[in-house]
Amino acid sequence: KLEERIPVKHRDELGRLSGTLNALFDRIHGFIQRQHRFTADASHDLTAPLTGIRSSAEVALMKERTPEEYRQSLENIIGRTDKMQAIVDDLMTLAGLDAGPRPAKSAELELSKLAEEAVNRWQAPAANEDIELTAEIKPGVSIFGEPEQFDRLLDNLLSNAVKYTPPGGKVNLTLAQQDGEIIIRVTDTGIGISPEHLPHLGERFYRIDRRVEGTGLGLSIVQGTAQIYRGGMEVESAPGEGSTFRIILPDGSGS
Ligand code: ADP
């Protein structure tokens, strides 16, 4: 047999090589499958509002309508266009993250200031929902990176915390720096998340309740951003007990 004619040493090497190749093949296969699913999900989520736009326009054109009916059709069209715009914006952000860190577009950022500004941006929307938004921000924390990426990361976490917390609840943002790490923590007293969903939260288009407005891309942007700065996202949550999202970044990351 061929195998017996190969010296043992080389047989071991061949075995190792074939193991490495198989592992590589599995990774490529997984990657291609995820790309297929991503394209299918993106097309699906863009088709729904597009179909709505087409049917609103058809309804408006079918017969003579009152000004109020025309207005209604146009408002439907604008609402669905906004929905498509939100998906496309998030997809562009993800495409930017896929390109990896861009040192030319990066600068030394005062993360403490960005966090404070983000909390200020969300004060009014939180108050509108009767949610108390508080912050504990360590001053002088800085990081080398792109300001828009951190603004979006903070906005996505605060937007989710406000969206998934019923009136009367609380949201807190903490920025800390310890043991060579920068930690951004957003805690809410909201609806919480069941354990079976937790491992999937960073996946693109993953949404638990499709009746709630959203693109399902917010947390994949958060996780993707943390990853290009060599950090990660951790989630602790239980249904009815609120959620805590922790973004952990190595101090001095990106530089
Ligand atoms: P979406 O645009 O749907 O909010 P995200 O990627 O931001 O998408 O979040 C994915 C899903 O995770 C959401 O659909 C929601 O079910 C759940 N989720 C995110 N943040 C929270 C939170 N703070 N509390 C409860 N559920 C959350």
Side-chain angles (χ1 to χ4, degrees):
K1 282 196 311 197
L2 176 66
E3 200 176 284
E4 281 162 6
R5 293 215 303 269
I6 302 174
V8 172
K9 181 169 159 274
H10 290 163
R11 250 186 268 162
D12 284 355
E13 276 172 10
L14 277 175
R16 273 204 302 278
L17 182 63
S18 103
T20 309
L21 284 175
N22 274 337
L24 194 61
F25 174 79
D26 284 348
R27 282 182 60 184
I28 294 173
H29 185 65
F31 175 76
I32 291 172
Q33 271 190 327
R34 280 198 300 281
Q35 284 296 320
H36 278 167
R37 206 181 60 216
F38 175 63
T39 312
D41 288 346
S43 316
H44 175 270
D45 280 24
L46 285 168
T47 298
L50 197 54
T51 310
I53 290 173
R54 164 116 207 157
S55 71
S56 290
E58 278 173 351
V59 166
L61 285 173
M62 252 182 331
K63 63 178 174 67
E64 199 62 26
R65 303 267 154 185
T66 64
E68 187 43 44
E69 286 169 332
Y70 280 126
R71 167 177 291 280
Q72 190 59 51
S73 295
L74 290 174
E75 275 174 359
N76 281 341
I77 289 173
I78 289 174
R80 287 170 172 137
T81 312
D82 287 348
K83 169 89 200 172
M84 292 183 83
Q85 186 71 57
I87 298 173
V88 171
D89 283 349
D90 281 353
L91 288 174
M92 304 263 284
T93 303
L94 282 170
L97 293 175
D98 284 343
R102 294 181 290 194
K105 294 199 169 194
S106 302
E108 195 69 25
L109 307 173
E110 207 185 310
L111 196 52
S112 309
K113 206 167 124 236
L114 296 187
E116 232 150 69
E117 287 166 357
V119 170
N120 288 340
R121 277 196 294 282
W122 284 92
Q123 280 301 352
N128 282 344
E129 302 292 323
D130 191 21
I131 291 167
E132 188 192 346
L133 172 56
T134 56
E136 283 155 57
I137 296 170
K138 183 184 163 121
V141 178
S142 68
I143 194 164
F144 186 78
E146 290 185 48
E148 296 78 20
Q149 291 177 340
F150 285 97
D151 283 342
R152 205 174 263 257
L153 179 148
L154 292 160
D155 278 340
N156 285 353
L157 289 175
L158 288 170
S159 141
N160 280 346
V162 169
K163 183 159 75 172
Y164 298 106
T165 299
K170 288 183 180 158
V171 171
N172 173 269
L173 181 145
T174 302
L175 175 68
Q177 188 177 33
Q178 64 195 48
D179 307 328
E181 287 178 339
I182 293 174
I183 300 150
I184 302 169
R185 200 190 69 186
V186 175
T187 299
D188 64 61
T189 59
I191 60 172
I193 302 163
S194 313
E196 72 267 25
H197 295 297
L198 293 178
H200 302 289
L201 291 182
E203 289 172 15
R204 298 174 179 192
F205 294 108
Y206 193 82
R207 291 165 69 195
I208 297 168
D209 182 352
R210 293 204 148 248
R211 289 166 304 180
V212 181
E213 257 320 290
T215 62
L217 294 171
L219 287 179
S220 51
I221 290 174
V222 170
Q223 189 172 51
T225 305
Q227 283 168 351
I228 69 167
Y229 291 94
R230 291 183 284 120
M233 175 175 86
E234 289 176 1
V235 191
E236 251 172 70
S237 187
E241 290 181 21
S243 311
T244 296
F245 287 80
R246 222 179 259 107
I247 307 306
I248 300 166
L249 305 165
D251 207 348
S253 53
S255 55

